[in-house]
Coordinates of all heavy atoms in Angstrom, one line a residue:
I8 N 3.9 6.8 13.1 CA 4.2 7.5 11.8 C 3.5 6.9 10.7 O 3.7 5.8 10.2 CB 5.7 7.5 11.5 CG1 6.5 8.0 12.8 CG2 6.0 8.5 10.4 CD1 8.0 7.9 12.6
G9 N 2.5 7.7 10.1 CA 1.7 7.2 9.0 C 0.2 7.1 9.4 O -0.2 6.3 10.3
G10 N -0.6 7.9 8.8 CA -2.1 7.8 9.1 C -2.9 7.2 8.1 O -4.0 7.7 7.7
G11 N -2.4 6.1 7.4 CA -3.3 5.3 6.6 C -4.1 4.4 7.5 O -4.0 4.5 8.7
P12 N -4.8 3.4 7.0 CA -5.6 2.5 7.8 C -4.8 1.8 8.9 O -5.2 1.6 10.0 CB -6.1 1.4 6.8 CG -5.4 1.7 5.5 CD -4.9 3.0 5.5
S13 N -3.5 1.5 8.6 CA -2.7 0.8 9.6 C -2.4 1.7 10.8 O -2.6 1.4 12.0 CB -1.4 0.3 9.0 OG -0.8 -0.5 9.8
G14 N -1.9 2.8 10.5 CA -1.5 3.8 11.7 C -2.8 4.3 12.4 O -2.9 4.5 13.6
F31 N 1.5 11.0 13.5 CA 1.9 11.9 12.5 C 1.5 11.4 11.1 O 1.6 10.2 10.8 CB 3.5 12.0 12.5 CG 4.0 12.8 13.6 CD1 4.4 12.2 14.7 CD2 4.2 14.1 13.5 CE1 5.0 12.9 15.8 CE2 4.7 14.9 14.5 CZ 5.1 14.3 15.7
D32 N 1.0 12.3 10.3 CA 0.6 11.9 8.9 C 0.8 13.0 7.9 O 0.3 14.1 8.1 CB -0.8 11.4 8.9 CG -1.2 10.8 7.6 OD1 -0.3 10.2 7.0 OD2 -2.3 11.1 7.1
E33 N 1.5 12.7 6.9 CA 1.6 13.8 5.8 C 0.6 13.5 4.7 O 0.7 14.2 3.6 CB 3.1 13.8 5.3 CG 3.5 12.5 4.6 CD 4.8 12.7 3.8 OE1 5.2 13.8 3.5 OE2 5.4 11.7 3.4
N34 N -0.3 12.6 4.9 CA -1.5 12.4 4.0 C -1.1 12.2 2.5 O -1.7 12.8 1.7 CB -2.3 13.7 4.1 CG -3.8 13.4 3.6 OD1 -4.2 12.2 3.6 ND2 -4.5 14.3 3.3
K35 N -0.3 11.2 2.3 CA 0.0 10.7 0.9 C -0.5 9.3 0.9 O 0.5 8.4 0.7 CB 1.4 11.0 0.6 CG 1.8 12.4 0.4 CD 3.2 12.6 -0.2 CE 3.5 14.1 -0.3 NZ 5.0 14.2 -0.3
L36 N -1.6 9.0 0.9 CA -2.1 7.6 1.0 C -1.8 6.9 -0.4 O -1.8 7.5 -1.4 CB -3.6 7.5 1.2 CG -4.1 8.1 2.5 CD1 -5.6 7.9 2.6 CD2 -3.5 7.2 3.7
R37 N -1.5 5.6 -0.2 CA -1.1 4.9 -1.4 C -2.3 4.8 -2.4 O -2.1 4.9 -3.6 CB -0.7 3.5 -1.0 CG -0.1 2.7 -2.2 CD 0.5 1.4 -1.7 NE 0.7 0.6 -2.9 CZ 0.7 -0.7 -2.9 NH1 0.4 -1.4 -1.9 NH2 0.8 -1.3 -4.1
N38 N -3.6 4.7 -2.0 CA -4.7 4.6 -2.9 C -5.3 6.0 -3.2 O -6.5 6.0 -3.6 CB -5.7 3.6 -2.3 CG -6.3 4.1 -0.9 OD1 -5.7 4.9 -0.3 ND2 -7.3 3.5 -0.5
V40 N -4.9 7.9 -5.5 CA -5.3 8.0 -6.9 C -6.7 7.5 -7.3 O -7.2 7.7 -8.4 CB -4.3 7.4 -7.9 CG1 -3.0 8.1 -7.9 CG2 -4.1 5.8 -7.5
T41 N -7.3 6.7 -6.4 CA -8.6 6.2 -6.7 C -9.8 6.9 -6.2 O -9.6 7.8 -5.3 CB -8.7 4.7 -6.0 OG1 -8.6 4.9 -4.6 CG2 -7.6 3.7 -6.5
E43 N -12.6 5.2 -5.3 CA -13.4 4.3 -4.4 C -12.4 3.2 -3.8 O -11.6 2.7 -4.6 CB -14.5 3.5 -5.1 CG -15.6 4.4 -5.6 CD -16.6 3.5 -6.4 OE1 -16.4 2.3 -6.6 OE2 -17.6 4.1 -6.7
S44 N -12.6 2.8 -2.6 CA -12.0 1.5 -2.1 C -13.0 0.5 -1.9 O -14.1 0.8 -1.4 CB -11.3 1.9 -0.8 OG -10.4 2.9 -0.9
H45 N -12.5 -0.7 -2.2 CA -13.4 -1.8 -2.0 C -12.8 -3.0 -1.1 O -11.7 -3.1 -0.9 CB -13.6 -2.5 -3.4 CG -14.0 -1.5 -4.5 ND1 -13.2 -1.0 -5.4 CD2 -15.1 -0.8 -4.6 CE1 -13.7 -0.1 -6.2 NE2 -15.0 0.1 -5.7
G46 N -13.9 -3.7 -0.6 CA -13.4 -5.0 0.1 C -13.3 -4.8 1.6 O -12.9 -5.8 2.3
K59 N -10.8 8.1 5.7 CA -9.9 8.7 6.6 C -10.6 9.7 7.6 O -10.3 9.8 8.7 CB -8.8 9.5 5.8 CG -7.6 9.9 6.6 CD -6.5 10.2 5.7 CE -5.3 10.5 6.5 NZ -4.1 10.4 5.7
Q77 N 1.6 16.4 9.7 CA 2.9 16.8 9.2 C 3.8 15.6 9.1 O 3.5 14.6 9.7 CB 3.5 18.0 10.0 CG 3.7 17.6 11.4 CD 4.6 18.7 12.1 OE1 5.5 19.2 11.5 NE2 4.3 19.0 13.3
R78 N 4.9 15.8 8.3 CA 5.9 14.8 8.1 C 6.9 14.7 9.2 O 7.2 15.7 9.8 CB 6.5 15.1 6.8 CG 7.4 14.0 6.2 CD 7.6 14.3 4.6 NE 8.5 15.4 4.6 CZ 9.8 15.3 4.4 NH1 10.3 14.1 4.4 NH2 10.6 16.3 4.3
V79 N 7.2 13.5 9.5 CA 8.4 13.2 10.4 C 9.7 13.2 9.6 O 9.6 12.6 8.5 CB 8.2 11.9 11.1 CG1 9.5 11.4 11.7 CG2 7.1 12.0 12.1
A107 N 4.1 3.0 10.3 CA 3.0 2.7 9.5 C 3.0 3.5 8.3 O 2.0 4.0 7.8 CB 1.7 2.8 10.3
T108 N 4.2 3.6 7.7 CA 4.5 4.6 6.7 C 4.1 4.2 5.2 O 4.2 5.0 4.3 CB 5.9 4.9 6.7 OG1 6.7 3.7 7.0 CG2 6.3 5.8 7.8
G109 N 3.8 2.9 5.0 CA 3.2 2.5 3.7 C 4.3 2.4 2.6 O 5.5 2.4 2.9
L110 N 3.9 2.2 1.4 CA 4.8 2.0 0.2 C 4.5 3.1 -0.8 O 3.4 3.7 -0.8 CB 4.5 0.6 -0.4 CG 4.8 -0.6 0.4 CD1 4.3 -1.8 -0.3 CD2 6.3 -0.6 0.7
D112 N 4.4 3.4 -5.1 CA 4.2 2.6 -6.3 C 5.0 3.4 -7.4 O 4.8 4.6 -7.6 CB 2.8 2.5 -6.8 CG 2.0 1.6 -5.9 OD1 2.2 0.4 -6.1 OD2 1.3 2.0 -5.1
Y124 N -4.2 5.3 -14.2 CA -3.9 4.6 -12.9 C -4.9 5.1 -11.9 O -5.0 6.2 -11.6 CB -2.4 4.8 -12.5 CG -2.0 3.9 -11.4 CD1 -2.1 2.6 -11.5 CD2 -1.5 4.4 -10.2 CE1 -1.9 1.7 -10.4 CE2 -1.2 3.5 -9.2 CZ -1.3 2.3 -9.2 OH -0.9 1.4 -8.2
G125 N -5.6 4.1 -11.3 CA -6.6 4.4 -10.2 C -7.9 4.7 -10.8 O -8.9 4.9 -10.0
F129 N -5.5 -0.6 -12.6 CA -5.3 -0.8 -11.1 C -4.1 -1.8 -10.9 O -3.6 -2.5 -11.8 CB -6.5 -1.3 -10.4 CG -7.7 -0.4 -10.6 CD1 -8.6 -0.6 -11.6 CD2 -7.9 0.7 -9.7 CE1 -9.7 0.3 -11.7 CE2 -9.0 1.5 -9.9 CZ -9.8 1.3 -10.9
S130 N -3.8 -1.9 -9.6 CA -2.7 -2.9 -9.2 C -3.1 -4.2 -8.6 O -2.3 -5.1 -8.6 CB -1.7 -2.1 -8.3 OG -2.3 -1.6 -7.2
C134 N -8.9 -5.9 -5.2 CA -9.4 -4.5 -5.0 C -10.4 -4.0 -5.9 O -11.4 -3.4 -5.6 CB -8.3 -3.5 -4.8 SG -7.1 -3.8 -3.5
D135 N -10.1 -4.2 -7.2 CA -10.9 -3.6 -8.3 C -11.3 -4.6 -9.4 O -11.8 -4.1 -10.4 CB -9.9 -2.5 -8.9 CG -9.7 -1.4 -7.8 OD1 -10.6 -0.7 -7.4 OD2 -8.5 -1.4 -7.3
A232 N 7.9 4.1 1.6 CA 7.6 5.4 1.5 C 8.4 6.3 2.4 O 8.6 7.5 2.2 CB 6.1 5.7 1.8
A233 N 9.0 5.7 3.4 CA 9.8 6.4 4.3 C 11.2 5.6 4.6 O 11.1 4.4 4.6 CB 9.1 6.7 5.6
F235 N 12.8 5.3 7.4 CA 13.2 5.1 8.9 C 13.6 3.7 9.2 O 14.4 3.5 10.1 CB 12.1 5.6 9.7 CG 11.7 7.0 9.4 CD1 10.3 7.3 9.1 CD2 12.6 8.0 9.4 CE1 9.9 8.6 8.9 CE2 12.2 9.3 9.2 CZ 10.9 9.6 8.8
S265 N 3.9 -1.9 10.8 CA 2.6 -2.5 10.4 C 2.1 -1.9 9.1 O 2.6 -0.8 8.7 CB 1.6 -2.3 11.4 OG 1.3 -0.9 11.5
G266 N 1.3 -2.8 8.4 CA 0.7 -2.3 7.1 C 1.5 -2.7 5.9 O 2.2 -3.6 6.0
D267 N 1.3 -2.0 4.8 CA 1.9 -2.4 3.6 C 3.4 -2.5 3.6 O 4.0 -3.2 2.9 CB 1.6 -1.3 2.5 CG 0.2 -1.6 1.8 OD1 -0.5 -2.5 2.2 OD2 0.0 -0.8 0.8
N268 N 4.0 -1.7 4.6 CA 5.5 -1.6 4.5 C 6.3 -2.9 4.8 O 7.4 -3.1 4.6 CB 6.0 -0.5 5.3 CG 5.7 -0.6 6.8 OD1 5.2 -1.6 7.3 ND2 5.9 0.5 7.6
S274 N -1.7 -6.4 -0.2 CA -2.1 -5.0 0.1 C -3.6 -4.8 0.1 O -4.2 -4.8 -0.9 CB -1.4 -4.1 -1.0 OG -0.1 -4.0 -0.8
Q275 N -4.1 -4.6 1.3 CA -5.6 -4.3 1.4 C -5.8 -3.4 2.6 O -5.0 -3.6 3.7 CB -6.3 -5.6 1.7 CG -6.4 -6.5 0.4 CD -7.7 -6.5 -0.2 OE1 -8.7 -7.0 0.3 NE2 -7.9 -5.8 -1.4
L276 N -6.6 -2.5 2.6 CA -7.0 -1.6 3.7 C -7.2 -2.5 4.9 O -6.8 -2.1 6.0 CB -8.2 -0.8 3.4 CG -8.1 0.2 2.1 CD1 -9.5 0.7 1.9 CD2 -7.1 1.2 2.4
I277 N -8.1 -3.5 4.8 CA -8.5 -4.2 6.0 C -7.3 -5.0 6.6 O -7.2 -5.1 7.8 CB -9.7 -5.1 5.7 CG1 -10.5 -5.5 6.9 CG2 -9.3 -6.4 4.9 CD1 -11.9 -5.8 6.8
A279 N -4.1 -4.0 6.4 CA -3.2 -3.0 7.0 C -3.8 -2.5 8.3 O -3.1 -2.4 9.3 CB -3.1 -1.8 6.0
Ligands
LIG301 C1 -4.4 2.1 -7.0 C2 -4.6 1.3 -5.7 C3 -5.9 1.0 -5.4 C4 -6.2 0.3 -4.2 N1 -7.4 0.0 -4.0 C5 -7.7 -0.7 -2.8 C6 -9.0 -1.1 -2.5 O1 -10.0 -0.8 -3.3 N2 -9.3 -1.8 -1.4 C7 -8.2 -2.1 -0.5 O2 -8.5 -2.8 0.4 N3 -7.0 -1.7 -0.7 C8 -6.7 -1.0 -1.8 N4 -5.4 -0.6 -2.2 C9 -4.4 -1.0 -1.2 C10 -4.3 0.0 0.0 O3 -4.3 1.3 -0.5 C11 -3.2 -0.2 0.9 O4 -3.1 -1.6 1.3 C12 -3.4 0.6 2.2 O5 -3.4 2.0 1.9 C13 -2.1 0.4 3.1 O6 -2.3 1.1 4.3 P1 -1.0 1.6 5.1 O7 -1.6 2.2 6.3 O8 0.0 0.5 5.3 O9 -0.3 2.6 4.2 P2 -0.9 4.0 3.5 O10 -2.3 3.9 3.3 O11 0.0 4.2 2.3 O12 -0.6 5.1 4.6 C14 0.7 5.5 4.9 C15 0.6 6.9 5.4 O13 2.0 7.2 5.9 C16 2.3 8.5 5.6 N5 3.7 8.8 5.7 C17 4.8 8.1 5.1 N6 5.9 8.7 5.5 C18 5.6 9.6 6.5 C19 6.4 10.5 7.2 N7 7.8 10.5 7.1 N8 5.8 11.4 8.1 C20 4.4 11.4 8.3 N9 3.7 10.5 7.5 C21 4.3 9.7 6.6 C22 1.8 8.7 4.2 O14 1.7 10.1 3.8 C23 0.4 8.0 4.3 O15 -0.5 8.9 4.6 C24 -5.1 0.0 -3.3 C25 -3.8 0.4 -3.6 C26 -3.5 1.1 -4.8 C27 -2.1 1.5 -5.2

Side-chain angles (χ1 to χ4, degrees):
I8 307 170
S13 196
F31 285 95
D32 186 37
E33 65 168 343
N34 200 21
K35 289 186 184 160
L36 297 178
R37 190 169 164 214
N38 60 344
V40 288
T41 61
E43 293 180 356
S44 298
H45 309 107
K59 195 160 184 169
Q77 59 171 320
R78 195 160 68 93
V79 165
T108 38
L110 293 174
D112 289 282
Y124 189 55
F129 299 95
S130 50
C134 298
D135 299 289
F235 306 125
S265 65
D267 272 8
N268 61 13
S274 285
Q275 289 256 287
L276 299 171
I277 201 155

